[in-house]
Amino acid sequence: MQIIFHIDLNAFYASAEMANDSSLEGKPLVISGNNRRAIVSTASYEARKYGIHSAMPLCKNLIIKPVNFDLYRRLSSQFFELISTYSPLLEIASIDECYVDFSNYIIEHNIHPYKLAKIIQNDVLNTLKLKCSIGIAPNKFMAKMASDMKKPMGITILNKSNYKQLLWPLDVSEMFGIGKKTAPKLKEMGILTIGDVANYDNYNKLRQIIGKNALLLYRKANGIDISKVNTEKNELKSVGNSTTLQYDTNDIETIYETLRILCSKVSFRAKKRNLIGNSISITIKYSRFESVTRQTPLIDYINEYEIILSTAKYLFDKNYSGKPLRLIGVSLNNVINRSSYKKQVSLFDKNIEKNKIKTTEAVINKINSENK
């Protein structure tokens, strides 16, 4: 039986800002544009206590931060990289959520799915300072629905024995796959809950509204989803690690030791996923508002610790100002799977050229012998 996790970062944009600036923790925070027509993009859970949610106009007495996509992309990439160290069978669903097939992992490690989910939650929180909810189920649809049931930091197991009890009473608008425009039309036809979608007596009504996807939704409402975790949707472009130092420091030995640890983690994660990259970048952050990111290309695709470390140290030494640091990060970029890497051959490699000539002569001889 499949064991699928759906892992969803909670209030991601707001949580990312809090991870980046600890003074925002526990405060009502919204991410939004900076004009009078702006609406809320993401609201922290503290803001939601006041009835503030996404897609509503701005209110007074809130902490408002502009969208910072560079920060969100960096944390998103690090989140997926961290999850992939547990299982490479990962499908990225959006910037803040993924499906992971843990079937083999759970058998090999003899661990209960709930315990594994708790370990992953704590790892994400301790490493990235981000909270996530996890749904555990035998298929992707049920895992997605389960992850939405308890937020933030919830873990929900949905299976064949309890999905009718937990899933069917939910409003039809909460069913993944039914849009905001479709839900009112279904309600007009008397389909009010997910249980009503699962009721075959309503199938013809469902088909009138949904069309060719009616059978798919009917099956999902009955706990049936045969879609697999699609690792081809895993579009990681970099493998990176960063850390916020316990204290701001300009002690070079402490910084070099931190670099060694970061580069070791980057190499380990890349090798575990059979990834190689041809560019190294570092991030040096002095304060909340002052940071430097520098990148340099490599002459070949690699994932070796020594090369990552020497390149990162070169970039650091070239760009470090000497001021106390609060954060440092290292990334291996432009990553590809090693199996798809085709190394270009130099035209001046004599041994290869000789082999090429011999091969060509053999082909010509074979053709001539067949034509005699």
Side-chain angles (χ1 to χ4, degrees):
M1 185 185 76
Q2 284 193 119
I3 302 176
I4 307 298
F5 283 25
H6 181 269
I7 308 175
D8 183 6
L9 292 172
N10 304 145
F12 176 49
Y13 290 0
S15 297
E17 296 291 349
M18 291 179 181
N20 192 51
D21 182 355
S22 60
S23 70
L24 297 172
E25 289 182 17
K27 295 180 180 178
L29 169 70
V30 297
I31 310 303
S32 175
N34 196 24
N35 61 68
R36 63 186 180 86
R37 294 185 178 179
I39 61 170
V40 176
S41 172
T42 305
S44 68
Y45 284 91
E46 291 77 10
R48 295 178 193 189
K49 292 177 182 177
Y50 296 97
I52 298 162
H53 53 80
S54 299
M56 72 180 297
L58 291 176
C59 303
K60 294 181 180 180
N61 303 320
L62 287 174
I63 299 173
I64 302 169
K65 297 282 287 186
V67 175
N68 183 352
F69 282 120
D70 287 341
L71 171 65
Y72 310 149
R73 279 191 288 263
R74 174 171 63 82
L75 285 174
S76 173
S77 179
Q78 291 176 359
F79 165 66
F80 295 132
E81 289 159 19
L82 190 156
I83 300 302
S84 70
T85 63
Y86 291 90
S87 171
L89 302 178
L90 177 148
E91 175 185 333
I92 296 175
S94 70
I95 193 171
D96 60 354
E97 59 180 318
C98 62
Y99 298 95
V100 193
D101 189 336
F102 279 115
S103 309
N104 293 333
Y105 184 99
I106 285 168
I107 293 171
E108 290 171 4
H109 293 80
N110 191 29
I111 186 172
H112 191 279
Y114 186 91
K115 184 177 180 180
L116 174 59
K118 200 68 183 173
I119 291 170
I120 291 171
Q121 270 190 343
N122 290 333
D123 198 1
V124 172
L125 183 61
N126 294 332
T127 304
L128 301 176
K129 297 183 174 62
L130 297 174
K131 296 179 180 180
C132 65
S133 294
I134 300 177
I136 304 169
N139 60 56
K140 287 170 63 177
F141 169 74
M142 289 171 67
K144 167 66 176 174
M145 294 299 299
S147 71
D148 288 336
M149 289 181 174
K150 295 178 186 176
K151 291 186 176 183
M153 290 290 281
I155 299 174
T156 303
I157 298 176
L158 206 55
N159 53 38
K160 295 292 184 181
S161 65
N162 68 359
Y163 81 93
K164 293 180 182 179
Q165 175 188 354
L166 297 179
L167 202 62
W168 282 9
L170 297 178
D171 191 281
V172 69
S173 63
E174 296 184 46
M175 183 173 178
F176 181 61
I178 292 180
K180 293 181 180 179
K181 293 182 179 180
T182 304
K185 295 178 183 178
L186 290 172
K187 289 181 178 182
E188 287 178 7
M189 299 287 282
I191 301 175
L192 307 178
T193 66
I194 296 177
D196 292 334
V197 176
N199 186 346
Y200 186 72
D201 290 343
N202 293 322
Y203 183 72
N204 286 333
K205 296 178 184 178
L206 189 68
R207 192 167 56 181
Q208 289 178 41
I209 305 297
I210 304 295
K212 61 181 181 180
N213 290 323
L215 181 59
L216 186 65
L217 288 176
Y218 168 76
R219 286 169 59 84
K220 286 182 176 180
N222 280 286
I224 302 167
D225 179 15
I226 61 172
S227 59
K228 304 293 183 182
V229 171
N230 185 359
T231 56
E232 291 182 3
K233 290 188 176 181
N234 183 347
E235 298 176 350
L236 292 182
K237 299 300 181 186
S238 66
V239 178
N241 245 94
S242 66
T243 186
T244 301
L245 301 170
Q246 189 171 4
Y247 304 101
D248 291 5
T249 183
N250 58 1
D251 179 73
I252 201 67
E253 287 305 316
T254 300
I255 295 170
Y256 279 168
E257 178 60 24
T258 304
L259 269 177
R260 285 191 282 271
I261 293 169
L262 292 174
C263 292
S264 177
K265 288 182 177 180
V266 169
S267 176
F268 172 78
R269 290 180 174 178
K271 288 179 178 178
K272 187 166 184 178
R273 301 203 62 198
N274 203 31
L275 297 174
I276 50 178
N278 69 352
S279 171
I280 301 290
S281 65
I282 66 164
T283 298
I284 303 169
K285 189 168 186 178
Y286 300 107
S287 67
R288 293 175 193 165
F289 309 107
E290 184 184 3
S291 64
V292 174
T293 299
R294 293 291 183 266
Q295 180 170 313
T296 187
L298 304 171
I299 60 173
D300 201 357
Y301 281 85
I302 60 92
N303 59 15
E304 288 78 15
Y305 162 72
E306 291 81 6
I307 300 175
I308 297 171
L309 176 60
S310 61
T311 309
K313 285 183 72 175
Y314 161 77
L315 285 171
F316 176 81
D317 292 341
K318 188 176 179 181
N319 294 282
Y320 178 49
S321 71
K323 293 189 294 186
L325 295 184
R326 69 173 307 193
L327 176 145
I328 189 165
V330 178
S331 288
L332 176 66
N333 305 317
N334 303 328
V335 297
I336 60 173
N337 194 285
R338 185 183 286 278
S339 63
S340 63
Y341 176 55
K342 307 298 180 187
K343 186 172 182 178
Q344 290 188 340
V345 176
S346 171
L347 294 175
F348 303 102
D349 190 320
K350 294 181 179 178
N351 292 329
I352 292 174
E353 195 63 32
K354 287 178 182 177
N355 291 335
K356 183 177 179 182
I357 292 170
K358 288 179 181 179
T359 304
T360 304
E361 289 175 347
V363 172
I364 293 172
N365 290 336
K366 186 174 187 295
I367 293 172
N368 287 338
S369 66
E370 290 175 350
N371 290 334
K372 286 180 179 179

